[in-house]
């Protein structure tokens, strides 16, 4: 959809995550609903900004729109086209994978914020404001993308403690992720620095708004980030003890990449 729908997309995202508990689970937290994931992208080759919204429902609906999505603000957003249909998981995954082709320069970085409208707006502003410097540098093949992805209390509070530091989450959280692709190694430093500055600015604003959170999603973190520290000292200690007790060969420490190193 066009970038003119940015404010409405942010509002729809906030509203859906912030739905209060109700006796009608179709319009609150439906166990078959995944997402929403809202993505804002600047595409250098086309010189445009776009929005993509990913809505998933894991039970074949009787109608095109399940009740939980139909009653949300997403249903009324104006869009250029839609690929909404009943499909296999493989088909849906392939569609998303096509947006992130292999063989290109790439960087990830992430942070976590509370579902606070002012902080969501500020997060999008940080993404948007960074485009000017990237455009001025003419970074060839750049796709500068901001993802907003929910982490709901119902998903992490299942009755058992967990080592992620999320056992006491009682409000919706938002995983903020930059996924950035470009063509030339000559632009590595600029893109990586811009991405890091964007994350740090989002974290600064979130802290000012009382909307920051220490959790960092392991799949999305950058090389300079330390996601295990966000789990809390006791949980981090527990994970290191598990490694020492059960992983003498250091499989989790060095055999499968930096993402699983307990440092």
């Amino acid at each position: 959809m066009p970038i003119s729908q940015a404010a409405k997309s942010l509002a729809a995202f906030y509203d859906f995550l912030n739905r209060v508990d109700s006796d009608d689970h179709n319009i609150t937290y439906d166990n078959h609903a995944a997402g929403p994931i809202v993505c804002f992208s600047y595409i250098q080759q086309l010189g445009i900004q776009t929005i993509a919204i990913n809505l998933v429902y894991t039970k074949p609906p009787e109608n095109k729109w399940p009740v939980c999505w139909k009653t949300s603000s997403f249903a009324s957003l104006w869009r250029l086209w839609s690929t909404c249909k009943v499909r296999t998981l493989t088909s849906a995954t392939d569609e998303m994978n096509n947006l992130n082709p292999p063989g290109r320069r790439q960087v990830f970085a992430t942070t976590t914020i509370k579902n606070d409208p002012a902080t969501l707006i500020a997060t999008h502003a940080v993404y948007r404001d960074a485009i000017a410097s990237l455009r001025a540098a003419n970074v060839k093949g750049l796709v500068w993308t901001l993802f907003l992805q929910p982490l709901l209390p119902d998903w992490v509070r299942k009755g058992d403690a967990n080592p992620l530091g999320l056992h006491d989450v009682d409000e919706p959280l938002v995983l903020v992720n930059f996924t950035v692709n470009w063509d030339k190694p000559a632009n590595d430093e600029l893109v990586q620095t811009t991405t890091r500055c964007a994350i740090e600015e989002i974290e600064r604003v979130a802290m000012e708004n009382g909307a920051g959170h220490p959790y960092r999603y392991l799949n999305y973190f950058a090389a300079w980030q330390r996601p295990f520290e966000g789990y809390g000292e006791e949980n981090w200690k527990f994970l290191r003890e598990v490694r020492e007790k059960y992983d003498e060969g250091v499989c989790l420490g060095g055999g499968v990449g930096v993402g699983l190193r307990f440092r």
Side-chain angles (χ1 to χ4, degrees):
M1 62 183 63
I3 197 61
S4 60
Q5 297 291 295
K8 291 182 178 179
S9 298
L10 289 170
F13 181 87
Y14 167 78
D15 288 342
F16 189 83
L17 269 62
N18 205 46
R19 287 182 169 189
V20 297
D21 290 334
S22 164
D23 291 334
D24 186 350
H25 295 290
N26 286 319
I27 62 171
T28 55
Y29 298 138
D30 190 320
N31 287 331
H32 295 289
I37 301 176
V38 178
C39 312
F40 302 91
S41 291
Y42 165 67
I43 305 171
Q44 179 270 335
Q45 189 173 9
L46 301 178
I48 63 172
Q49 296 182 56
T50 65
I51 304 171
I53 296 177
N54 185 259
L55 307 177
V56 175
Y57 199 74
T58 59
K59 179 181 178 182
E62 296 179 2
N63 300 308
K64 184 175 181 180
W65 280 80
V67 174
C68 71
W69 294 127
K70 188 175 182 179
T71 57
S72 75
S73 299
F74 290 109
S76 62
L77 291 178
W78 187 86
R79 52 196 177 275
L80 295 171
W81 75 86
S82 171
T83 61
C84 178
K85 60 184 177 182
V86 177
R87 55 167 62 181
T88 65
L89 178 60
T90 300
S91 172
T93 303
D94 285 345
E95 179 178 302
M96 295 193 72
N97 187 56
N98 288 336
L99 303 176
N100 191 28
R104 307 185 69 223
R105 316 298 293 177
Q106 186 175 69
V107 68
F108 288 86
T110 188
T111 191
T112 302
I113 62 176
K114 297 178 182 179
N115 188 39
D116 171 64
T119 307
L120 287 172
I121 292 170
T123 295
H124 179 264
V126 170
Y127 147 83
R128 182 195 61 217
D129 293 347
I131 293 173
S133 62
L134 294 168
R135 182 188 287 125
N138 195 27
V139 180
K140 295 295 185 182
L142 176 72
V143 180
W144 168 254
T145 300
L146 168 69
F147 285 77
L148 300 177
Q149 184 174 349
L151 184 61
L152 302 180
D154 282 5
W155 298 350
V156 296
R157 295 191 309 179
K158 296 299 183 182
D160 296 319
N162 65 70
L164 305 180
L166 298 173
H167 61 281
D168 58 351
V169 169
D170 59 2
E171 61 183 312
L173 300 177
V174 180
L175 305 179
V176 177
N177 174 44
F178 280 95
T179 300
V180 191
N181 295 278
W182 66 101
D183 288 344
K184 304 295 184 181
N187 297 124
D188 286 4
E189 183 176 356
L190 171 65
V191 176
Q192 292 168 3
T193 299
T194 302
T195 304
R196 180 168 184 167
C197 288
I199 286 291
E200 290 176 345
E201 177 62 12
I202 291 168
E203 291 177 343
R204 184 192 66 79
V205 173
M207 290 300 293
E208 285 186 356
N209 292 345
H213 195 278
Y215 179 72
R216 302 292 179 266
Y217 186 45
L218 191 62
N219 283 16
Y220 298 157
F221 80 98
W224 51 270
Q225 295 184 292
R226 297 292 179 264
F228 293 113
E229 295 179 4
Y231 295 179
E233 180 58 35
E234 288 300 315
N235 288 326
W236 192 16
K237 179 182 177 183
F238 167 75
L239 290 173
R240 293 198 302 269
E241 290 173 348
V242 169
R243 183 195 63 183
E244 293 169 2
K245 185 175 181 179
Y246 297 104
D247 188 30
E248 294 181 1
V250 199
C251 176
L252 293 180
V256 290
V258 68
L260 290 177
R261 290 181 185 164
F262 299 138
R263 294 174 288 186

